[in-house]
Amino acid sequence: MNLVLEADAKKPVYLRIKQAIVQQIKTGEMPSGMRLPATRDLARQLGVNRGTITMAYDELVADGLLESHVGRGTFVAEPYPHGHHDNGRSAGPVKMSWDGLFADSAESHVISSLLDLYQVSTLRDVISFSGSFPDNATFPLQEFRNSLHYAVRTLGAEVFAYGPATGLEKFRQYLATDMLESGIRLTADEILMTNGSQQALDLIARTFISPGDTVIVENPTYPGAVNAFSLAGARLVGVPVDTNGMRTETLEQVIALKRPKLMYVVPSFHNPTGACLSRERREHLLAIAQEYGIPIVEDDYGSDLRFEGAHLPPLKARDTGEHVIYVSNFSKSLMPGLRIGWCAAARPVIARLTALKQNCDITTPPILQAALWDFCRRRKYHGHLEKIRPIYRERRDAVIRLLEREFPRGTTWTKPEGGLFLWVTLPETIDTTELLLNVRQKGVVFSRGHLFYVDGGVRNTLRLSYGNVTIKQIETGLTILGRAARELFSRNADRTADKFLTHTVPLV
Ligand code: PMP
């Protein structure tokens, strides 16, 4: 099979492969029933990863153009009766062809890398260090059921009506009071309830960003935020991160050069590195925001998940000049399926976000807000946090034990004081895509580090989530992963040595 790929470097390779195959099916070069090359062979022929071919084939199977038979291979499917008429009667439905209809933004590399992350993180029957999911086994089902019953029994029809777009008044009041404990002073009308933090980020992006505006982010950063800002047309500029979070000392230079509209940070247990922005850098960042009049979007998905070390005040707690748009949720610290988050900001901001929210989905389900409000006011949420913190701490310790024991020399990692993941840097000769393809066959997956960078990043980093794996799975999974990394390390070292032997000439 001779595939000619479109030369558009911005389009993901798997989509270009898919398009080339579609083209050959359309022109009849690939007739129905024809067997496609094995993914490994085509990958070798095109010089790409096998996973890329698998993604292209999977999409074509989903589109009905290919059929895959376990053990036999992948074949061109029988054609749909495209507009074929027999005695004036249609021979059957004409299958929609979606190719070429999607907006450029929906075909962007941001979407494909998110799909990539999503595909890995939702795999079943594997030991998954991917995703950043809390453990389903910790969910307080009985207690939450009681709160749902309370909401239905006591509040009745109110929780089945539309409810205000800003969210349930009593829940916003509860949150305003609760945030006081972390030093954040505001009133209920400075809060908007959202469907998880992701919706808050999306609303913020669409409220502030016009195409071409610049947003400063940590590099690496949370891909969901990259996606929200990029889809609104933003250009992202990454500022490096170390164990104390964003390196704010370079920020003023970047601001002078790029004139950003917003700065987005995850100061507590940064996704993906697990780092916390130090107290000094928090103050520095706020001072810069004040000086240049640039709002900060503070994504605080995780400060409730601190299991050791001193509490650090959120940026919002020190935000006397109302520069911070604070975003938080119950997704990692309680149950992500509730889809409940919120945004706290100055009133003019909340007003605009609310208008967009109304247009987007009218409101966050009142029944869930009411049940969660009841759950929180009975202090069940705080009780839940007490239960889960030691669990995640024990898992972090287990991950570090295994990293020390099983991984190749030269591997380094972060040691987060909370949250659900840590960041690993392997020796430079190891490409984590190769590593992932290798261990995936053995039932282990993780998130490759380069997917979190806004500029391509390096190939030898990875994020390990310990939220949704037991200690036993950590031991088994990281033994497999460590062994595979060691093998790649010594194989690549051999290759380097071979190259050295064959390509060098004596200097004398
Ligand atoms: N921000 C960060 C840093 C996250 O890690 C996530 C979830 N992965 C979100 C926001 C989105 O959270 P939610 O599920 O509440 O939409």
Side-chain angles (χ1 to χ4, degrees), residues 24-173:
Q24 294 208 357
I25 294 176
K26 273 190 188 157
T27 58
E29 271 174 88
M30 291 176 62
S32 51
M34 177 184 149
R35 188 170 192 274
L36 277 89
T39 50
R40 182 182 291 124
D41 297 339
L42 189 54
R44 199 175 303 128
Q45 184 190 325
L46 296 176
V48 299
N49 285 318
R50 196 173 161 196
T52 307
I53 306 293
T54 309
M55 272 166 75
Y57 280 13
D58 284 353
E59 287 232 347
L60 287 160
V61 169
D63 289 352
L65 290 172
L66 298 183
E67 282 170 358
S68 179
H69 301 283
V70 181
R72 289 206 290 128
T74 306
F75 300 84
V76 179
E78 284 299 321
Y80 279 87
H82 254 283
H84 175 69
H85 290 264
D86 186 13
N87 293 337
R89 279 178 299 144
S90 168
V94 176
K95 184 122 198 278
M96 181 68 204
S97 166
W98 297 103
D99 264 337
L101 289 182
F102 297 113
D104 289 348
S105 56
E107 296 281 35
S108 73
H109 73 281
V110 183
I111 295 277
S112 67
S113 61
L114 268 175
L115 280 176
D116 214 351
L117 270 179
Y118 180 77
Q119 276 177 353
V120 174
S121 62
T122 52
L123 283 175
R124 289 170 184 270
D125 302 325
V126 288
I127 299 178
S128 178
F129 298 97
S130 181
S132 50
F133 308 142
D135 190 344
N136 293 8
T138 65
F139 295 171
L141 298 184
Q142 182 61 45
E143 296 289 0
F144 199 77
R145 191 179 308 142
N146 293 343
S147 288
L148 274 169
H149 280 163
Y150 169 85
V152 174
R153 250 194 345 258
T154 316
L155 304 175
E158 184 197 339
V159 298
F160 292 104
Y162 273 127
T166 43
L168 235 56
E169 171 77 18
K170 32 183 172 277
F171 198 11
R172 288 184 291 126
Q173 259 157 13

Side-chain angles (χ1 to χ4, degrees), residues 54 70 135 142 178 207 221 302 326 359 366 396 420 442 495:
T54 309
V70 181
D135 190 344
Q142 182 61 45
D178 191 61
T207 300
T221 189
Y326 178 84
N359 187 51
R396 182 217 48 190
L420 301 174
K442 299 173 183 135
R495 275 197 199 152

Side-chain angles (χ1 to χ4, degrees), residues 131-133 194-201 221-225 264-266 268-272 299-302 327-332 335-337 339-342 421 463:
S132 50
F133 308 142
T194 55
N195 274 304
S197 292
Q198 189 60 38
Q199 183 178 48
L201 296 176
T221 189
Y222 167 55
Y264 166 77
V265 285
V266 187
S268 297
F269 316 123
H270 171 245
N271 189 357
D299 184 342
D300 184 16
Y301 81 91
V327 172
S328 190
N329 62 13
F330 289 90
S331 303
K332 315 289 169 179
M335 300 187 279
R339 308 305 308 130
I340 293 188
W342 74 97
F421 34 77
R463 188 189 68 181

Side-chain angles (χ1 to χ4, degrees), residues 285-306:
L285 187 58
L286 279 167
I288 289 176
Q290 294 240 8
E291 162 125 24
Y292 295 90
I294 304 170
I296 302 171
V297 179
E298 174 178 25
D299 184 342
D300 184 16
Y301 81 91
S303 60
D304 280 351
L305 290 171
R306 177 175 286 283

